[in-house]
Amino acid sequence: MPKIVDHDARRAELAEAMWRVVYRDGVAAATVRSIAAEAGWSPSALRHYFATQADLLIFAMEHVIAQSAERFAAESWTGPPRETAQRMLEEFLPLDRQRRRAAEVWLWLTLHAQVDPAAQARLSEADDGVRGVVDVAVDALAAAGLVARGADLGAEKARLHALLDGLTLHALVRTELMPPGRLRALLAEHLDSLTSARDGP
Amino acid sequence: MPKIVDHDARRAELAEAMWRVVYRDGVAAATVRSIAAEAGWSPSALRHYFATQADLLIFAMEHVIAQSAERFAAESWTGPPRETAQRMLEEFLPLDRQRRRAAEVWLWLTLHAQVDPAAQARLSEADDGVRGVVDVAVDALAAAGLVARGADLGAEKARLHALLDGLTLHALVRTELMPPGRLRALLAEHLDSLTSARDGP
DNA sequence: GAGCCGTGCCGAAGATCGTCGACCACGACG
DNA sequence: CGTCGTGGTCGACGATCTTCGGCACGGCTC
């Protein structure tokens, strides 16, 4: 009976407006009002599609993660496993402004999740997406026989994942000490350590 | 001529009040009002000692870091270097509620530093404190001959530091996957990887 | 011992934020 | 062609950080 709008499309539109604001002015500028202005709506209109600000940011974050997942699925990922793993994991490092902004949003969500169980749950799902890529990368290395027998794959995945997020954090807080080249080099060094021969059981 | 107050002592008192609030209710509850109430002052009084909320949190963070540094300096750190390094680094992991809360504050500051150059500068100094401890730990291992010749000490320090902060982040966002025991084990695994024989140049 | 005046502190106000409720308008269905 | 539900706006509320004007206390000077 009433006017019908494609909610999913509208949500995506608002999420993109949010990313434009974030890319331009940083996550601190991602207020409900500024995002609404960017999208050309009144602040109240957003409430029809996102009950709360955190919902919008989570949706936007899931949006880019889903896009990343599509890119991962689309690419063939042939070639040397070692270089492939490096390329896959570099996707998550803040090597350019865009990914740096995404890391800021990620940080905002992480902090917010400390007090919002709903955000916590959905952030965990998104986190699983990243963890899944790390798993794939490590498994591919192991399947290629590049990881020493006896290595604890579960622990290696957790360690690599932690290193990835730690590097991201350091890139945010100490940009001058962590230029893109150093981020890549440290990731490479870790993969070297992972793939070099180590004592089996 | 006027009433004289020991500003440093008052600042320390307010910082301790802040930590009580944070410990009890989390960093989100660390508003100027709640901290003032906890300390028994009016919100305006805080402005005499901290120009802004970020200043208070930074001071409080530096406060605990300074205390940690004192503990580090006080302890003799004798015994096997490998176990010593583990103990030193575990100080920075959120293994109990107190350190978890500290990590939340750290996260808040990191986010805030993205828009506040002053906070950014002072946070960098605090970050150097942590980096210094990591350096000491790795240097001690190297001095004991436990790190393979040819290893890039600078890179190893950066990698260990990133791992430390990454583990902290994961402990905050995925507590159920990162209980204290697993945090310790992953740190130990990394130190094992660092101290096990690796290819020299 | 008396007065001055600067420090310390408070209360209220300003600005901005997220969120909510009341109200209007359009348009698809009966 | 009328109905009524969805979509949208406006205004307001409460909370936040920060700023401003004013009051009071208490050391220093005379």
Side-chain angles (χ1 to χ4, degrees):
Chain A
M1 313 150 186
K3 179 162 57 174
I4 295 303
V5 207
D6 185 336
H7 278 226
D8 287 339
R10 180 63 55 85
R11 268 190 268 264
E13 175 189 336
L14 291 172
E16 284 166 21
M18 188 214 86
W19 281 117
R20 285 198 299 276
V21 171
V22 169
Y23 183 83
R24 193 189 332 122
D25 305 321
V27 66
T31 69
V32 173
R33 285 167 171 79
S34 68
I35 294 172
E38 173 73 26
W41 297 93
S42 101
S44 314
L46 272 66
R47 262 188 73 70
H48 284 267
Y49 307 100
F50 299 103
T52 166
Q53 185 190 25
D55 285 344
L56 169 55
L57 265 66
I58 288 177
F59 177 87
M61 200 79 225
E62 287 174 344
H63 200 56
V64 298
I65 288 182
Q67 287 178 346
S68 291
E70 280 183 27
R71 282 207 311 276
F72 276 122
E75 201 154 342
S76 56
W77 297 112
T78 55
R82 174 67 180 71
E83 281 73 16
T84 301
Q86 173 96 21
R87 280 207 338 272
M88 288 178 71
L89 298 172
E90 278 182 3
E91 288 284 327
F92 297 110
L93 291 177
L95 296 175
D96 53 29
R97 184 186 176 97
Q98 201 163 357
R99 278 173 284 185
R100 185 192 168 90
R101 293 308 199 187
E104 289 180 17
V105 174
W106 188 269
L107 213 59
W108 191 98
L109 287 171
T110 300
L111 194 59
H112 188 78
Q114 301 302 310
V115 291
D116 180 350
Q120 161 80 340
R122 298 182 62 191
L123 188 60
S124 292
E125 294 177 20
D127 181 61
D128 287 337
V130 180
R131 178 170 290 105
V133 173
V134 173
D135 288 356
V136 167
V138 172
D139 285 336
L141 290 176
L146 292 176
V147 179
R149 280 164 298 117
D152 180 346
L153 278 191
E156 292 300 340
K157 290 168 181 174
R159 201 153 64 92
L160 176 54
H161 190 187
L163 180 87
L164 216 52
D165 286 352
L167 286 177
T168 299
L169 205 55
H170 285 185
L172 284 185
V173 77
R174 300 300 294 271
T175 313
E176 77 281 7
L177 296 182
M178 283 291 172
R182 183 160 168 81
L183 290 175
R184 284 203 193 87
L186 287 171
L187 173 60
E189 175 135 351
H190 187 83
L191 290 180
D192 286 342
S193 142
L194 178 60
T195 55
S196 73
R198 286 180 48 203
D199 309 2
Chain B
M1 314 157 183
K3 179 163 57 174
I4 296 302
V5 188
D6 185 336
H7 278 226
D8 288 339
R10 181 62 56 83
R11 269 189 267 263
E13 176 190 335
L14 291 172
E16 284 166 20
M18 187 213 85
W19 281 117
R20 285 198 299 274
V21 171
V22 169
Y23 184 84
R24 193 189 331 121
D25 305 320
V27 67
T31 69
V32 173
R33 283 165 175 74
S34 67
I35 295 171
E38 173 73 25
W41 296 93
S42 103
S44 316
L46 271 65
R47 258 192 77 69
H48 283 268
Y49 308 101
F50 300 102
T52 166
Q53 186 189 24
D55 284 346
L56 169 55
L57 266 66
I58 288 177
F59 177 87
M61 200 78 225
E62 288 174 342
H63 200 57
V64 298
I65 288 182
Q67 287 178 344
S68 291
E70 278 183 30
R71 283 207 311 276
F72 276 121
E75 200 155 341
S76 54
W77 297 113
T78 56
R82 174 66 180 71
E83 283 70 18
T84 301
Q86 174 97 20
R87 281 207 338 273
M88 287 178 71
L89 298 172
E90 279 183 2
E91 288 284 326
F92 296 110
L93 291 177
L95 296 175
D96 54 28
R97 184 187 177 98
Q98 201 162 359
R99 279 173 283 184
R100 185 191 168 91
R101 293 308 199 187
E104 289 180 15
V105 175
W106 188 270
L107 213 58
W108 190 98
L109 286 171
T110 300
L111 194 59
H112 187 78
Q114 301 302 311
V115 291
D116 181 349
Q120 161 80 337
R122 298 182 62 190
L123 187 60
S124 291
E125 293 177 21
D127 180 62
D128 287 337
V130 180
R131 178 170 289 107
V133 173
V134 173
D135 289 356
V136 167
V138 173
D139 285 338
L141 290 176
L146 292 176
V147 179
R149 281 164 298 117
D152 181 344
L153 279 190
E156 292 301 339
K157 290 168 181 174
R159 200 153 65 92
L160 176 54
H161 190 188
L163 180 87
L164 215 52
D165 285 353
L167 287 176
T168 299
L169 204 55
H170 286 184
L172 285 186
V173 77
R174 302 300 294 271
T175 313
E176 77 281 6
L177 297 182
M178 283 291 172
R182 183 160 168 81
L183 290 175
R184 283 203 194 87
L186 287 171
L187 173 59
E189 175 135 352
H190 187 83
L191 290 180
D192 286 343
S193 144
L194 178 59
T195 55
S196 74
R198 287 179 48 203
D199 308 2

